Amino acid sequence: MGSFIYSVLGDPFVQMLQMPDFLMQVVWEGFVSGILYALIALGFVLIFKASGIFNFAQGIMVVFSGLTLVGLHELGVPAFLALFITLGVMYVLAFSVERLVLRNLVNQPDIILFMATIGLTNILIGLGQWIFGGETKSMITEQLWLPTGSSVWEPGGGLVIFQHIDIAAAVIAALLIICLALFFSKTKVGRALRAVADDHQASLSVGISLNHIWVITWFAAGIVALVAGIMWGARSDVSFSLQIIALKALPVLVLGGFTSVPGAIVGGLIIGIGEKLFEIYWGPLFGSGIEGWFAYVIALIFLLFRPQGLFGEKIIERV
Amino acid sequence: MYKKIITGAVATAVAVATFVSTAHAEDTLYIPALSYRTGAFAGGGTPFANGFMDYLAMLNARDGGIGGVKIVNEECETAYNAQKGVECYEATKGNGALVYNPLSTGITLQLIPKAPVDEIPVLSMGYGLSAAGIGEKFPWTFTYPTSYWSQMSSILKYIDSNGGLKGQKIGFIYLDVGYGREPIPLLEKLAPQLGFEVAMFPVAGKEMQAQSAQWLNVRKERPDWMIMWGWGSMNPTAIKEAAKIRYPMDRFIGNWWSSAHADLVPVGEAGKGYVGANFSGIGTDFQALQDVIKYVIEPGNTRTDPSKVGDVLYNRGLYNAVIVAEAVETAQKMTGKSAISGADMRLGLENFNLDATRLAELGLAGFAGDLKGDCVDHEGGGPVFMQQWDGENWVKITDPIAPMSDVVRPLLEAAADAYVADKPEWKTQTCN
């Protein structure tokens, strides 16, 4: 019993003190993972805010956008032109979703819209495999002028390795979030988006076009998906198994709140860093491999005490 | 009136179905391919399926099939999903299927009990249940040319010949499914016997492309060698992560599903030095491969990207088809029948002889080691060789390394006994 308590409350902290450089490495890796989880979660938040839909297709949008970019480049299209065309493809996707799905399902229960996004997921999987094949593809990292290689920091004779692509991911994610924040707060369309998020009926009554807003929202989520696809792809290639990682955004959303952009970021970082620390220092107690479910434990605890998440709006149902 | 129309339609449908089924059984050699070109593992499944399909298509185009009988080779998409695999099996077995090549340990485990009932053999070439290599206990299942357990023992021998195994810490990173877990019992038994330590690093299916935690653990545990049982996008991600933590690549060994072009091309220069096990030839410098190009690739009767012909997984799929074709031909000779049954095919699988002379006749001289079908040994006990990634391509770096049969065989026999122990209806066989 004593040894068990020591292995839970003592040994992990002793290890942290004995190898501070390794602790820093763990925290850095968790930070980068958290940033990437936050990016994926951000796509969910944008659509949920504007339409109340949990977009199950966000994960495959990450893969689809990444595959489109790489696939176009394989056809001989220069990298930045391929990037521009991919943005166009994501706009067409947003427009098609609004025209073919959302418009026809207005006023349907949320669960119907959720099911529609599951259908959309499968359509995009099939379409992606039909067009690009199922093989793993390398992200065009250098062609997009993204940095490769690594830098080493040796604090007190230790070793902390920083991959340049990870640093770039953190910077680009931060810039994207600032751009989205400015877009929401400073532009007319952004204010309309916020109005729609607050109250659909009231927005309609002052002349805001819901259809137009939905296209913009899905396009914004598409841009976020493309950035997430490039960054994940640069770390570990683009393949269809990448869409499963999007499920990691679920505990992030529970933690941060489904309607909060800052919540997605803070939630992503807590999940990213938390799961790495627990996997490395407490994982051996459970036979390792706890990373896959630990995030959901954190989310469940938050769900019990704060169902709306850290930054989510308090749920008030008037009867 | 309606009743007559419906009765007539049903009768016609039954007649057509019977005719089609009979036609498959009597005039052709029906060989279904449980392949996967979709899903998370399509990157490995696609080139393997291409090699398998193209070789059989070449035999049809060049020789008119096998023994003058056309081969009908039908793909059924499993997406590496055991349930879909069983559905494919049930949907195709009635067409006179001669043999099933599931290309998935999960699907193989489902088909092993079905094989003796339906009398259709299962050839899980170098994968599946290692214990199925014991022919007396598993008359209908084959793992030629070797099994996961034998392969693991060959890899351990390679490590032993490169500085010794005793006192070493071996890290084992594996896809946390039936396939990846398959060699763990062997590792656990051999570790105390041969004096090495094992550290396990499981990778869940949904973590295949997010392995930083596993590799932080590798950095923490500091294993002397790493062995990988990965598949699909897990492989390039693991090699990239290994490079990230500066793990020495020449001490990182992948099994034969973790050392293909599909795994290393996305990694490129960063994977230089990585070692992998293999049992089939690399490249197109074989007459049989040239025939495939001439009769199938160039006329465009294929789904293969011509630049991928000769890649590791393409050639392995092709080798699978070579074994199947050789067993068919052997069965035809033994039974005197052109159109054989699944039971005949089983005989063929126990009696073919792919020795160096025969491989040369087939235009595959030096493509693989000698392989002889056997009633007792359904494993083949074949050796593997090691290949190394030079940054752009695979280079063979060792001669064939024989498995530790003296150690592995008793363990396989014990595992086979354990498998059938609680199955009183299980059919075994006695070999002379």
Side-chain angles (χ1 to χ4, degrees), chain B residues 57 129 320 333 370 378:
Chain B
L129 183 71
N320 194 158
K333 284 177 185 162
D370 290 1
H378 280 200

Coordinates of all heavy atoms in Angstrom, one line a residue, chain B residues 57 129 320 333 370 378:
Chain B
A57 N -3.5 -11.9 -63.0 CA -3.9 -11.4 -64.3 C -2.8 -11.7 -65.4 O -3.2 -12.0 -66.5 CB -4.1 -9.9 -64.2
L129 N -2.6 -16.1 -37.0 CA -2.3 -16.8 -35.7 C -1.0 -17.6 -35.9 O -1.0 -18.6 -36.7 CB -3.4 -17.7 -35.4 CG -3.4 -18.5 -34.1 CD1 -3.5 -17.5 -32.9 CD2 -4.4 -19.5 -34.0
N320 N 2.6 -13.6 -52.6 CA 1.4 -14.3 -52.1 C 0.7 -15.1 -53.3 O 0.3 -16.2 -53.2 CB 0.5 -13.3 -51.5 CG -0.6 -13.9 -50.6 OD1 -1.2 -13.2 -49.7 ND2 -1.0 -15.2 -50.9
K333 N -2.2 -31.3 -60.6 CA -1.4 -32.5 -60.9 C -1.7 -33.7 -60.0 O -1.8 -34.8 -60.5 CB 0.1 -32.2 -60.8 CG 0.6 -31.3 -61.9 CD 2.1 -30.9 -61.7 CE 2.6 -30.0 -62.8 NZ 3.8 -29.3 -62.5
D370 N 13.8 -20.9 -50.3 CA 13.1 -22.2 -50.6 C 11.9 -22.3 -49.7 O 11.9 -22.0 -48.5 CB 14.0 -23.4 -50.4 CG 15.1 -23.5 -51.4 OD1 15.2 -22.5 -52.3 OD2 15.9 -24.4 -51.3
H378 N 2.9 -26.1 -41.4 CA 2.1 -25.1 -42.2 C 2.7 -23.7 -42.1 O 2.1 -22.8 -42.5 CB 0.7 -25.1 -41.7 CG -0.2 -26.2 -42.2 ND1 -1.5 -26.2 -42.3 CD2 0.2 -27.5 -42.8 CE1 -2.0 -27.4 -42.8 NE2 -0.9 -28.1 -43.1

